[in-house]
Amino acid sequence: MKAIVQRVTKASVTVGEEQISSIGRGLCVLLGISVEDTQRDAEYMVRKILNLRLFEDEHGRAWSKSVMERDFEVLCVSQFTLQCILKGNKPDFHSAMPAELAQPFYDSILENMRSTYKPELIKDGKFGARMQVHIQNDGPVTIELTSPTGPTDPKQLSKQEKQQQRKEKTRSKGPSESGREKGAQRSRQDPNASSGAEGDVSSEREP
C-alpha cells in the first residue's frame, strides 16, 4: 500500500459541479491499494498517517505534533494510480487492487481511522468517481509512505527463510578447523613465518 500525505491549510473534493468534501488545516492523503495488500498493511497506514508529527506545537516548534494531537482534519482520497508500473512511457495499473475488492477494503480503512480518531474529522472523496481534488499544500510538506509487508508468495517466503538460515549458520561457525591445522603445520615448519599462523590468529580476535 502506498500513500502520499500532504500537510494542508485546506483541501476539497469536487465531483462534477458539486463539492462533496472539504477540510481546513490538516492532512490530505492520497491512498493507493495494491492487489497484495492485507489488513496488516491497512493498520500500518492508519497508524502512520494519524501519528506522523508534521505540525508545530503550541510553542511553534516544528515537527512536534500529529494531526490527532492538534485536532486537525484528514481528507482521504482513493488513488489507484499510485500503484502504477511504467511499461516504457505507458502506465500499467495491474498492481492496483480491482475496484470491486478495493472499495470495501478502502471503506474499512476509513472506519479504522474514524474509530481511532474523531469520526467527524475524517473526510473522504467519492470512490471510483472522476474527482477534482483541490490541495493547498502547507510548506510544502509531502511525505510518501509504503507499507512494509513482505512477499506473500510461499515460494518467495521459503527462499527468504533458506537465505536467513544460511546467514545464521555462517555466523555460528567459528574459524575452520582445517585452517587452524594448516596454520599450525606451517608454524612448526618455519617458526619465523608470519603469513599463515598469524593470519589465522588475527581472524579469531574480537572485532
Side-chain angles (χ1 to χ4, degrees):
M1 190 178 299
K2 296 180 180 180
I4 301 297
V5 182
Q6 299 181 70
R7 188 180 71 185
V8 300
T9 51
K10 62 180 180 180
S12 63
V13 176
T14 301
V15 176
E17 299 299 320
E18 179 188 3
Q19 184 181 98
I20 62 169
S21 194
S22 66
I23 64 169
R25 199 158 182 220
L27 299 176
C28 181
V29 181
L30 307 178
L31 195 65
I33 302 173
S34 161
V35 68
E36 295 182 347
D37 285 336
T38 65
Q39 195 60 35
R40 181 181 171 189
D41 299 271
E43 290 169 358
Y44 172 87
M45 278 300 180
V46 169
R47 185 171 67 253
K48 280 295 183 184
I49 290 166
L50 294 180
N51 288 284
L52 280 172
R53 294 189 293 178
L54 302 183
F55 300 95
E56 72 281 358
D57 63 14
E58 58 274 14
H59 303 295
R61 186 175 58 185
W63 319 113
S64 299
K65 297 291 184 180
S66 69
V67 70
M68 291 196 297
E69 291 171 316
R70 291 300 308 268
D71 280 334
F72 290 156
E73 297 176 285
V74 180
L75 173 60
C76 282
V77 179
S78 177
Q79 178 79 100
F80 75 90
T81 59
L82 286 175
Q83 294 296 337
C84 162
I85 296 174
L86 286 179
K87 293 187 174 180
N89 292 321
K90 183 178 179 181
D92 181 280
F93 304 112
H94 284 93
S95 292
M97 185 177 287
E100 63 272 15
L101 299 175
Q103 183 166 6
F105 193 81
Y106 174 73
D107 289 342
S108 73
I109 294 172
L110 291 176
E111 286 306 309
N112 191 348
M113 277 193 185
R114 290 178 176 129
S115 63
T116 303
Y117 188 27
K118 298 177 179 179
E120 68 275 13
L121 297 183
I122 303 296
K123 311 290 180 64
D124 69 319
K126 186 174 182 180
F127 188 93
R130 186 178 182 87
M131 295 174 276
Q132 301 294 320
V133 183
H134 304 272
I135 301 170
Q136 188 166 299
N137 196 313
D138 177 24
V141 172
T142 302
I143 305 295
E144 182 179 357
L145 296 177
T146 303
S147 59
T149 302
T152 55
D153 183 357
K155 291 182 180 179
Q156 285 291 95
L157 288 171
S158 177
K159 185 178 179 181
Q160 283 190 350
E161 288 171 0
K162 288 178 180 178
Q163 288 175 342
Q164 185 62 30
Q165 287 172 1
R166 283 197 294 269
K167 287 180 182 178
E168 290 174 357
K169 286 180 181 178
T170 301
R171 283 195 295 265
S172 65
K173 283 181 178 180
S176 66
E177 292 298 326
S178 59
R180 284 198 293 267
E181 289 173 1
K182 289 178 181 178
Q185 289 174 0
R186 285 195 296 269
S187 180
R188 286 194 296 269
Q189 291 169 359
D190 184 0
N192 296 319
S194 60
S195 60
E198 286 185 7
D200 289 332
V201 170
S202 65
S203 69
E204 293 177 8
R205 289 174 185 161
E206 291 294 328

